[in-house]
Amino acid sequence: MALLALLGTPFFLLATLDVGPAHSPDALGLSGQRPPRAGDRRGDGKGERDDSLFRDDYRSQAPPQPVALAILRDDYSASDGILYFRQRTLSLYNGVRLTADPRADADVPTSFPGAASWTPGQQQSAEAHVVVPTTMYLLVDHPQPPALSHAIALRAVDNPNPRQFVAAYEVVSRVLAVPGERLLGQRSIPAAWPAAWVRHYTALPDDPRYVTLAREIVSQVDPRFGDDDLAQALAIKRYLEHEGFYTRRLQHGGGRDPTAAFLFGDRRGYCVHFAHAAVYLLRSLGLAARVALGYAVQTLKRGGGSSVLIMGDRAHAWPELHLDGVGWVTFDIHPERTDVPAAPPVDYELERLLGEVARHDSTAGLGQRPAAWVVPWRAVGRAGFALLCAALLAAWAIKIARRAAPRLAAKEAYCRLAYVATLDRLTELGYGRRYAETRERHAARLCSKAPHLPALTAAHLAASWGSRRAPDPAEVQTLVRQVAQELTQHTHPLRRLVGLINPLSWLWTR
Amino acid sequence: MSNRDTIPSDLDPDASSGAATDPGRQAGASLERAVQIAERLRARVREHVMGRDEVIDLVLVALLADSHILLEDYPGSGKTTLAKALGESIADDRPADEIADFRRVQFTPDLLPSDITGVMVFDTDSSTFQFRHGPIFAHVLLVDEINRTSPKVQSALLEAMAEKQVTVDNISHRLDELFFVIATQNPLDVAGTYPLPLAQIDRFLFKVRMEHIDRASELRVLETWGTPKAPCTLPRVSRDEVIDARRAIRAQVQLTQRHKECLVDTAALLRADRRVVQGVSTRALVQGIPALQTLALFRGRDYVSSDDVAYLLPLLLSHRMELIPGAEDAAEIVLAAAERPLELLSRSTLRPRAGGHG
């Protein structure tokens, strides 16, 4: 069932952490559950996916997808550059493997915040930590809310864009702020813990090799710190980092205890192997430890801005160590050797855009760009087409009006308008008057096409230049008809047709 | 120029309606007479001069436009014949006066002004000085080789051409109203000549370069040379008729404001042309108006058309300009300058008349 759930999600992702040598492929089952809703009670679901944490081949072909956006409310940068967004923890050893136990790990929020805000059962100490408020916007469904380690309060907020984000909530986290050496001298298990808790956090497989190996590692520690819990834990961390080899190509096979196969075999594995090996070794020394699952985001190579885009391939598993007076400490293993290349950089543009959406900016930040105005080509094209059509129609209207003008004109204007109409006809047929050509020469030139044109021209000139013998309109009308007939006879029909539909021919009439 | 042998009778007065009292009919009648006079003159001159129809028309235009003409041609090409035929076509209807109908003067370097204007002679009978009229007192005066005489004589003649009077011994003598000078000069044989300055050439309406006549015309000349001519059937034209025709043409052939604008614009463009050192004078335009009207009449119209302007402008202006060295074809320059004014003139007919014509 857990395997089915994994196959169903597009993000079963293999994290490659660009964190020193710590690269970890994973399919930790962090996402892909049914959509979380505010107030949705998701109490348990413990251990349902733990079977699938160890797999031999997690090579993913699909490019990583964004799964969540975190907005840092304060100016904060992690000392090692990695932000750990924890979603679940595995602390209960059930005789086979580590599984989730929400009752024990009450400091880890297991459900999305509803109307009431969540507070953890165990408190991280206030002295060694700084408070970092963040707001999470989930882009895909998660069974439990990821939150920056170690969350102490969750509160639901309005989803600024429900189509974009599936959930939004505020987180207040306490992040360790003191260097590791200051914590030396702290016991791992407080004296106040009941025996059941101690058993819970120190249970490990019944395999003597864990204790043997752990003792061997611890024997190398400087005798001055040989009894110190944190010094022992650091020795184990150094051992795993030095001896382990981070890879996604595994040949452990599905044994009963994959961790043993990894740790006592070739020590080749990914984050789940390293986390489990570290937890078992720590527990074999009597230290309280558990496995945390979530996303680890390298922020050193990020650009500015408070938005942190979490990609699916950032999924990660890491050990957590408990220290008295401090709380749970992220205790990640960074193997020195690996065959996994560095992860590609985050798409900063997408990160910025989603950040703007999360901040209620409906334009996603585009409105502030000076070059955001674009030429509305479609509107320009339509307007141009409409203008063109209007101009064509107007041109045809003028052409028709000029052609019809003689019939409507007064008697004294008839001669001139009839001549203009004839000239229009001549021009559209390509027989227009040339520049500086006199009207008589124009008429004489066209004598073969229109033998009556010279007479018509003479009548027109007589009328317009004040001859005492003004031409008779009826005579002019006859001449116009004769010229029209002659033109029809002497020109090709196609030429006449082309001339007739040319809307602008009258522009060249002179 | 129209090469039609007869002037078209578009101006037939019967064509215009109205009674005899109609002023239009009166006008048509006198314009019709002008057409007939031009027709008779042309026919008579053509009988004597063959193959020179265009030159004959230009000479007649100059005559009826009350101007003078300068013919530039080779010797023996018919200049004198033409002038003589014209002189003989105009009858002297006042035989009593001192004015002959035709005189010819051959200009030579030793000619004196008094040789052409006339001189005061002491009359022993009355013991007074009497004015003896020179050859300039004529209707038609042929001045041969005008560039062969001294500027003194040229000036005397040109004063007479402009003012229609001569002054001898402080007494001015009026020439006849119909005083028409046909001057000739040889364009090639220029050694020992006094070329006319531009200011004097400006007095001539046209400077016509006569080309050699065509083969058929030349053959006809050989055939008819020396044979006695049959008397012309057409009657001669009287002096008064020519004067009347001039007046009718001036008054009745329509010439619009647009035509005047075209002339003025062309002159302005010519003056602005960088190939032209000295532009055309206003006198050229003043003389051009009656010439245009006469030409329109010759072409059978009672209105001046843009075609008349296009035809006449090079003839009217070419000889009056001084060009920079290297620019040869004055007519081409005139036509280029006239292109835009002519185009505007032609286009103006498509617009409603503004009423400013005549």
Side-chain angles (χ1 to χ4, degrees), chain B residues 76-93:
Chain B
S77 57
K79 303 183 289 281
T80 312
T81 315
L82 195 158
K84 206 172 164 191
L86 182 63
E88 285 171 355
S89 301
I90 299 172
D92 188 0
D93 44 6

Side-chain angles (χ1 to χ4, degrees), chain B residues 197-203 263-285 313 316-324 330 333-334 337:
Chain B
L198 213 56
Q200 295 184 354
I201 287 194
D202 198 31
R203 315 280 165 114
L263 290 179
V264 171
D265 291 347
T266 306
L269 286 171
L270 275 176
R271 287 166 195 150
D273 195 314
R274 41 178 290 280
R275 290 171 294 181
V276 178
V277 178
Q278 187 176 337
V280 297
S281 62
T282 308
R283 174 173 28 218
L285 310 181
L313 270 178
L316 196 62
L317 304 180
S318 297
H319 62 290
R320 301 172 198 252
M321 301 185 306
E322 187 184 340
L323 305 181
I324 59 166
I333 294 173
V334 171

Side-chain angles (χ1 to χ4, degrees), chain B residues 98-111:
Chain B
E98 297 287 335
I99 296 180
D101 45 358
F102 175 71
R103 283 284 182 271
R104 173 187 172 171
V105 184
Q106 185 76 35
F107 274 21
T108 55
D110 57 352
L111 204 69

Side-chain angles (χ1 to χ4, degrees), chain A residues 286-310:
Chain A
L287 309 179
R290 62 185 183 187
V291 170
L293 303 175
Y295 302 100
V297 181
Q298 171 63 274
T299 58
L300 285 183
K301 290 185 184 172
R302 286 181 63 252
S306 58
S307 308
V308 178
L309 184 64
I310 303 172

Side-chain angles (χ1 to χ4, degrees), chain A residues 402 413 416-417 419-421 423-424 433-442 457-470 507-510, chain B residues 10 12 15-16 24 27 251-252 254-256 258-259 301-308 310-311 339-340 342-343 345-353 357:
Chain A
R402 285 169 68 108
R416 178 174 60 85
L417 292 175
Y419 182 71
V420 169
L423 271 191
D424 279 356
R433 187 173 66 86
R434 293 175 192 146
Y435 184 77
E437 191 178 30
T438 64
R439 299 217 174 278
E440 289 95 333
R441 284 184 206 166
H442 173 228
T457 305
H460 162 69
L461 290 180
S464 49
W465 277 334
S467 170
R468 285 175 196 280
R469 189 174 165 273
L507 276 178
W508 283 269
T509 300
R510 54 189 183 199
Chain B
D10 281 4
D12 181 4
S16 49
Q252 289 164 40
Q254 298 296 317
L255 182 120
T256 68
R258 304 256 187 218
H259 291 89
R301 283 188 257 104
D302 66 344
Y303 60 91
V304 176
S305 163
S306 55
D307 204 33
D308 305 333
Y311 173 77
E339 263 195 359
R340 183 165 167 71
L342 274 176
E343 175 67 22
L345 180 63
S346 290
R347 283 189 196 191
S348 71
T349 69
L350 297 188
R351 289 189 289 275
R353 272 166 68 192
H357 65 83

Side-chain angles (χ1 to χ4, degrees), chain B residues 148 188-194:
Chain B
R148 292 249 170 239
L188 291 182
D189 192 8
V190 293
T193 61
Y194 302 90

Side-chain angles (χ1 to χ4, degrees), chain A residues 97-360:
Chain A
R97 63 185 73 85
L98 286 173
T99 59
D101 186 355
R103 278 172 304 173
D105 297 332
D107 61 316
V108 179
T110 55
S111 64
F112 286 87
S117 57
W118 167 90
T119 47
Q122 290 174 285
Q123 291 287 338
Q124 300 289 112
S125 79
E127 295 82 40
H129 294 82
V130 291
V131 172
V132 179
T134 54
T135 311
M136 298 295 293
Y137 300 92
L138 301 190
L139 291 159
V140 297
D141 295 334
H142 288 73
Q144 288 179 210
L148 185 66
S149 297
H150 305 269
I152 56 168
L154 259 67
R155 190 170 67 81
V157 295
D158 286 339
N159 190 338
N161 189 343
R163 285 186 301 174
Q164 194 89 51
F165 305 117
V166 297
Y169 50 93
E170 270 182 9
V171 180
V172 178
S173 306
R174 281 192 174 152
V175 183
L176 193 67
V178 297
E181 51 267 31
R182 291 255 197 101
L183 302 176
L184 283 174
Q186 301 283 357
R187 303 302 304 174
S188 172
I189 296 176
W193 273 17
W197 282 26
V198 176
R199 275 200 306 277
H200 176 87
Y201 285 111
T202 55
L204 74 160
D206 184 17
D207 189 334
R209 290 180 293 177
Y210 287 114
V211 179
T212 309
L213 178 61
R215 294 264 161 79
E216 188 187 329
I217 295 167
V218 168
S219 67
Q220 307 293 323
V221 178
D222 188 323
R224 285 175 294 171
F225 303 104
D227 291 339
D228 189 83
D229 286 354
L230 183 57
Q232 291 177 355
L234 288 172
I236 287 166
K237 172 176 156 75
R238 263 198 312 279
Y239 171 81
L240 287 174
E241 287 177 349
H242 187 68
E243 300 293 328
F245 187 96
Y246 188 98
T247 182
R248 293 176 193 166
R249 297 191 198 90
L250 303 176
Q251 281 123 24
H252 298 156
R256 178 178 166 78
D257 186 357
T259 310
F262 159 76
L263 188 60
F264 308 118
D266 56 4
R267 288 186 290 277
R268 293 168 67 87
Y270 48 88
C271 60
V272 175
H273 298 96
F274 282 97
H276 278 79
V279 166
Y280 287 160
L281 286 174
L282 292 169
R283 286 188 174 191
S284 66
L285 293 171
L287 309 179
R290 62 185 183 187
V291 170
L293 303 175
Y295 302 100
V297 181
Q298 171 63 274
T299 58
L300 285 183
K301 290 185 184 172
R302 286 181 63 252
S306 58
S307 308
V308 178
L309 184 64
I310 303 172
M311 303 297 287
D313 65 353
R314 304 285 111 169
H316 189 42
W318 64 92
E320 282 187 345
L321 175 69
H322 190 270
L323 289 178
D324 184 23
V326 179
W328 289 101
V329 176
T330 301
F331 204 70
D332 199 5
I333 310 292
H334 304 313
E336 291 170 6
R337 291 175 293 159
T338 180
D339 63 358
V340 177
V346 172
D347 183 351
Y348 297 131
E349 187 68 9
L350 178 65
E351 184 176 78
R352 193 185 62 76
L353 280 178
L354 287 171
E356 300 292 349
V357 172
R359 291 187 186 94
H360 296 256

